[in-house]
Amino acid sequence: MELLSGGEMIARALQDEGVEFIYGYPGGAVLHIYDALFKESSIPHILVRHEQAATHAADGYARATGKPGVVLVTSGPGATNAITGIATAYMDSIPMVVLSGQVQSHLIGEDAFQETDMVGISRPIVKHSFLVQRAEDIPATIKKAFHIATSGRPGPVVVDIPKDLTKPDEKHAYEYPGSVKMRSYNPASRGHSGQTKKAVKLLLGAKRPVIYSGGGVILGNSSELLTELAQMLNYPVTNTLMGLGAYPATDRQFLGMLGMHGFYEANMAMHHADVILAVGARLDDRVTNTVDKFCPSAKIIHIDIDPTSISKTVQADIPIVGPVDAVLKDMMSLINQQREEQPDLPDAVALERWWQQIEQWRAAHGLWTAPRYETGGPIKPQQVIESLYRVTDGEAFVTSDVGQHQMFAAQYYKFDKPRRWINSGGLGTMGFGLPSAMGVKLAFPDSDVACVTGEGSIQMNIQELSTCSQYGIPVKIINLHNGYLGMVKQWQDMQYEGRHSESAYSNSLPDFVKLAEAYGHVGIHIEDRAELDAKMEEAFALKDKLVFVDVMVDPAEHVYPMHVAPNGSMADMWLSKTERT
Amino acid sequence: MRRIISVLLENEPGALSRVVGLFSQRGYNIETLNVAPTEDTTLSRLTVTTIGDDRKIEQITKQLNKLVDVVKLVDLTEGAHIERDLMLIKVRATGAQRAEIKRCTDIFRGQIVDVGPSVYTIMLSGTADKLDSFVEAMGDAAILEVVRSGVAGIARGEKVLRL
């Protein structure tokens, strides 16, 4: 058996695990590991400019590829800087392994230089964590970390490694385990067949069904199965913010996104449904609005790999714990069986009437059936997204930051494929967009990758323009520039009588074109609506260049629909500044 | 409603903090907590008493089960079970009170385990209710110090919680 130092074992284990990229930042506690990477490793390492960006880049990579992202940071500030990114991944169930350096074992607890209790600090925002105690445990611990991060409901796993365990002069027998068995960790591999039968019966008896699918469908690689199920039944589908792309947006059966800024027809259909099939979604507060008023006449079938997601906020009538793909497959074969016996299921007349109702809603206030914003005057943010959609043929990977631009992107970019829409849904992390776009672009160098952002968010990780220079990462940044923290301003307009407390930048913003140029990139400024498509095309024509597209948009624009809160139901929405349902 | 949840936990560093952290992070109550290794030194047995309606308790047990370090758990209050809390209580015992305290201890089937010129230390075990009653019987004035183990529990009959 080969003898390796702790540092070398880490480098080798990552290689044996098939890791494609390491996103990281060196420092004292990880220098042995970095030396081993230098000497041993063939895995490209991306040196970010801030550890938060390393976690977001790994996260973007994971969302786009389905493989776990890998991060390497040093102890103390390196570890704490990674925290926001770990929490972001945790909230959206993204597989990630974070290796953090720790001070030497004998110094732990003594407030040593750059010491922080990483396992303690990260505890509430990880799926699991390890503090490695013996160098010989490194390979097995890394194997376990990847196993836990990627199986069941995925999530980030932290492996904290004291510096002395990675010393170059102490060698240990290295063998990377082929598989893992843990007596305390066995995620469900199938759904309960009795529950699935009950669910199918309820589903086929529905008169006003809605399929409500979330990020779990994408994480569980079940988009095709979901699409097949929906189309064999002709049932309407709505996706959550995290689930966009799970069902093709351009298909007739798609109702658009649901929730706080969801489509009118999606929210109305949910509210009036008699049966809801919730798949890999967690009925969170941005979807349900007031829980007591949520879908008053609906029976809820809830499929999720994580039992804690079921009946956490809304009581499920038929809970099914299991991986989405296995459960959907079981359901489909049961549906086929059932329909052989009863070919008149589901009730075609009722379904036809339901679709008529939905089409009326769609025609009345659907975002895609007619322009829902003014088409004169300054450029509207929605138009920018529509232009982006046209120019990229709907095929781009779109990452976003957090705020109005995120909602406009979710509403107006029609995602037909899973893993193309990359955003921080659960934690709502500003600063996510650019670094996650880097992770996506590195994994898919031949695809268009756009980061839709705003002046607030982009400045939270704008230092990564330098990383993009170093590694030649030609993402396209689409900055919806309105001079405000737009979503904060919108709430202040609506609920605080327009008092814009600390949400305006006055004249403090940089010239983003010059800023991009200072890093060696290209900047394009757009103010005139007539130039929008042409300049957008110009940006995407520059295949090998990072282009910062700074688009001046109407600061008065709000995101609609918007749930009326507090105490509103899903059907209570603002449709514009003056119209309410 | 009060529940007693019994947990088999990997005897790993940090495992206990994950359980305790879960309760504070999600706003659940811990009334008592008792933890010690079992006959299998790789496992700890943890008993936690908590209060909540059925839905909350269901979430608590599901969230606990989700922790990687939790091997198995059972809500003891769902069936017949035995619960014991151990108390060491130091009381002021002078003059005529000494006999009175001794009598009361006997009634509760406690034991005086240490005697000083003016204090008794009494050991008492039983349900949490019983210990509360004894504390009340002693009266505030006499009590110098109270230590309780928290509830430890086990199911009655053939039911066992093990690997």
Side-chain angles (χ1 to χ4, degrees):
Chain A
M1 211 179 284
E2 208 175 348
L3 291 176
L4 296 177
S5 73
E8 289 162 347
M9 287 199 284
I10 292 166
R12 186 66 67 81
L14 294 180
Q15 240 161 272
D16 288 346
E17 192 55 50
V19 172
E20 293 177 313
F21 294 97
I22 303 169
Y23 303 91
Y25 206 107
V30 287
L31 282 177
H32 295 326
I33 304 175
Y34 269 89
D35 194 49
L37 288 176
F38 187 88
K39 291 192 294 196
E40 287 269 327
S41 169
S42 57
I43 306 171
H45 176 282
I46 308 300
L47 172 67
V48 293
R49 300 298 180 263
H50 185 290
E51 289 87 348
Q52 184 187 345
T55 51
H56 291 332
D59 183 324
Y61 165 85
R63 289 179 203 238
T65 63
K67 298 177 211 167
V70 176
V71 176
L72 174 57
V73 294
T74 192
S75 65
T80 56
N81 276 348
I83 289 292
T84 300
I86 298 172
T88 305
Y90 179 73
M91 287 293 274
D92 291 342
S93 312
I94 304 305
M96 181 186 289
V97 172
V98 179
L99 307 172
S100 56
Q102 183 51 276
V103 300
Q104 299 182 59
S105 308
H106 73 275
L107 294 176
I108 290 178
E110 295 187 355
D111 299 322
F113 176 66
Q114 292 196 328
E115 180 185 358
T116 191
D117 173 12
M118 179 55 167
V119 166
I121 286 180
S122 63
R123 189 193 45 71
I125 51 159
V126 294
K127 184 169 173 189
H128 196 55
S129 51
F130 297 94
L131 172 60
V132 186
Q133 302 199 312
R134 303 180 315 159
E136 45 276 41
D137 295 340
I138 287 173
T141 307
I142 290 180
K143 182 75 197 174
K144 275 187 195 167
F146 277 93
H147 173 63
I148 294 171
T150 52
S151 55
R153 179 179 182 175
V157 175
V158 164
V159 183
D160 201 31
I161 309 160
K163 184 175 185 181
D164 51 310
L165 306 192
T166 60
K167 279 197 284 221
D169 49 351
E170 276 180 24
K171 308 277 186 185
H172 310 270
Y174 173 82
E175 188 181 15
Y176 197 61
S179 64
V180 191
K181 228 176 127 64
M182 295 175 73
R183 62 181 176 186
S184 59
Y185 176 72
N186 295 295
S189 58
R190 291 203 61 174
H192 187 278
S193 60
Q195 291 291 91
T196 310
K197 264 186 207 141
K198 276 198 252 171
V200 164
K201 185 154 178 266
L202 180 61
L203 194 62
L204 286 177
K207 297 196 182 319
R208 299 184 309 280
V210 176
I211 298 174
Y212 148 46
S213 91
V217 175
I218 293 174
L219 292 166
N221 297 314
S222 302
S223 304
E224 282 178 20
L225 284 169
L226 180 93
T227 306
E228 202 183 324
L229 174 83
Q231 294 185 345
M232 76 195 247
L233 292 171
N234 186 28
Y235 282 6
V237 182
T238 176
N239 286 159
T240 66
L241 178 66
M242 292 306 300
L244 293 176
Y247 190 87
T250 51
D251 187 85
R252 175 190 63 87
Q253 281 170 245
F254 186 58
L255 307 185
M257 178 173 77
L258 82 169
M260 177 176 273
H261 292 295
F263 284 40
Y264 174 76
E265 57 269 44
N267 286 342
M268 293 300 276
M270 285 289 286
H271 188 75
H272 292 92
D274 69 341
V275 174
I276 289 171
L277 175 64
V279 193
R282 56 190 179 88
L283 298 110
D284 79 301
D285 55 301
R286 293 290 137 136
V287 161
T288 60
N289 210 359
T290 311
V291 167
D292 295 342
K293 296 181 179 171
F294 177 74
C295 302
S297 43
K299 294 261 185 228
I300 296 169
I301 303 162
H302 194 172
I303 305 170
D304 205 292
I305 184 82
D306 178 2
T308 69
S309 283
I310 294 175
S311 299
K312 180 166 61 183
T313 56
V314 174
Q315 194 73 31
D317 296 285
I318 303 181
I320 306 175
V321 177
V324 170
D325 56 350
V327 177
L328 287 181
K329 268 185 213 153
D330 288 350
M331 283 184 93
M332 274 193 283
S333 64
L334 283 169
I335 288 171
N336 285 328
Q337 264 177 38
Q338 188 91 25
R339 288 172 98 186
E340 273 172 30
E341 293 163 26
Q342 293 170 280
D344 54 335
L345 285 179
D347 181 342
V349 177
L351 197 55
E352 182 51 37
R353 206 177 304 134
W354 182 227
W355 270 114
Q356 279 172 11
Q357 171 66 73
I358 289 171
E359 291 303 343
Q360 277 173 21
W361 285 326
R362 179 141 51 189
H365 300 290
L367 291 183
W368 298 342
T369 43
R372 303 291 168 194
Y373 49 86
E374 293 196 15
T375 45
I379 300 177
K380 298 287 177 179
Q382 297 95 322
Q383 287 180 305
V384 183
I385 305 299
E386 289 185 306
S387 170
L388 174 67
Y389 179 74
R390 276 194 301 273
V391 169
T392 56
D393 298 322
E395 290 284 326
F397 289 89
V398 179
T399 75
S400 96
D401 274 300
V402 170
Q404 283 185 319
H405 64 267
Q406 176 190 24
M407 291 301 118
F408 288 131
Q411 290 179 336
Y412 285 92
Y413 200 102
K414 299 173 190 169
F415 294 94
D416 277 340
K417 292 178 188 160
R419 301 193 179 280
R420 295 293 169 108
W421 166 240
I422 314 277
N423 85 132
S424 166
L427 196 68
T429 308
M430 291 171 70
F432 176 80
L434 175 55
S436 62
M438 294 174 359
V440 178
K441 184 69 184 175
L442 284 161
F444 294 97
D446 299 328
S447 299
D448 285 331
V449 179
C451 162
V452 175
T453 186
E455 315 89 83
S457 289
I458 192 67
Q459 291 190 94
M460 284 209 182
N461 269 321
I462 201 157
Q463 75 286 345
E464 297 309 315
L465 287 173
S466 172
T467 309
C468 292
S469 304
Q470 183 169 354
Y471 298 95
I473 310 175
V475 299
K476 307 293 182 264
I477 297 169
I478 315 297
N479 186 36
L480 304 186
H481 188 146
N482 63 2
Y484 286 91
L485 293 170
M487 191 58 92
V488 172
K489 174 177 174 291
Q490 173 167 345
W491 280 63
Q492 289 171 338
D493 287 340
M494 295 174 74
Q495 300 191 2
Y496 300 89
E497 296 168 325
R499 292 185 296 277
H500 296 156
S501 179
E502 302 299 321
S503 56
Y505 289 113
S506 319
N507 293 318
S508 64
L509 292 170
D511 177 335
F512 287 110
V513 171
K514 281 190 188 151
L515 184 74
E517 287 167 1
Y519 281 103
H521 305 308
V522 175
I524 294 181
H525 184 81
I526 307 178
E527 257 187 69
D528 180 356
R529 156 190 310 245
E531 294 182 332
L532 182 57
D533 273 11
K535 291 209 165 169
M536 190 71 83
E537 268 169 30
E538 186 187 328
F540 280 89
L542 294 167
K543 291 280 174 210
D544 301 330
K545 284 285 186 188
L546 184 152
V547 185
F548 195 116
V549 185
D550 190 29
V551 194
M552 307 308 287
V553 298
D554 185 354
E557 195 62 20
H558 285 179
V559 182
Y560 294 109
M562 181 170 178
H563 270 154
V564 175
N567 300 323
S569 74
M570 279 201 89
D572 295 320
M573 288 169 269
W574 286 102
L575 299 170
S576 70
K577 285 183 184 172
T578 50
E579 285 170 281
R580 251 190 77 162
T581 55
Chain B
M1 194 186 146
R2 175 172 171 272
R3 301 294 190 105
I4 304 171
I5 299 169
S6 205
V7 182
L8 278 183
L9 191 67
E10 293 285 0
N11 193 1
E12 295 277 346
L16 179 60
S17 75
R18 291 180 212 275
V19 173
V20 176
L22 173 70
F23 275 77
S24 64
Q25 170 189 354
R26 297 199 178 261
Y28 309 145
N29 290 309
I30 296 182
E31 297 284 306
T32 72
L33 176 70
N34 170 287
V35 59
T38 63
E39 85 287 1
D40 173 351
T41 51
T42 66
L43 288 172
S44 294
R45 173 90 173 224
L46 179 147
T47 313
V48 58
T49 58
T50 183
I51 290 178
D53 57 23
D54 287 354
R55 245 180 96 182
K56 184 162 236 172
I57 298 298
E58 188 188 327
Q59 263 300 312
I60 292 175
T61 55
K62 289 199 290 193
Q63 292 285 359
L64 280 169
N65 254 320
K66 192 170 148 183
L67 293 176
V68 171
D69 283 334
V70 168
V71 186
K72 259 186 182 174
L73 66 80
V74 64
D75 179 353
L76 290 174
T77 21
E78 279 179 352
H81 63 278
I82 299 158
E83 60 164 288
R84 289 291 180 272
D85 198 342
L86 176 77
M87 175 164 69
L88 294 169
I89 177 167
K90 195 176 278 187
V91 293
R92 184 161 305 288
T94 49
Q97 272 185 319
R98 288 177 85 91
E100 178 57 30
I101 290 168
K102 173 78 173 74
R103 245 194 318 276
C104 193
T105 302
D106 289 343
I107 292 168
F108 277 85
R109 296 194 196 165
Q111 267 176 289
I112 296 173
V113 290
D114 188 44
V115 177
S118 59
V119 296
Y120 279 162
T121 301
I122 302 155
M123 180 180 80
L124 187 65
S125 70
T127 62
D129 263 7
K130 175 182 159 183
L131 303 196
D132 291 344
S133 304
F134 185 76
V135 168
E136 207 174 307
M138 286 293 106
D140 284 350
I143 297 173
L144 297 170
E145 203 177 338
V146 174
V147 190
R148 289 168 69 157
S149 65
V151 171
I154 199 162
R156 281 192 186 275
E158 303 281 316
K159 263 173 86 177
V160 287
L161 177 65
R162 55 180 302 138
L163 286 182

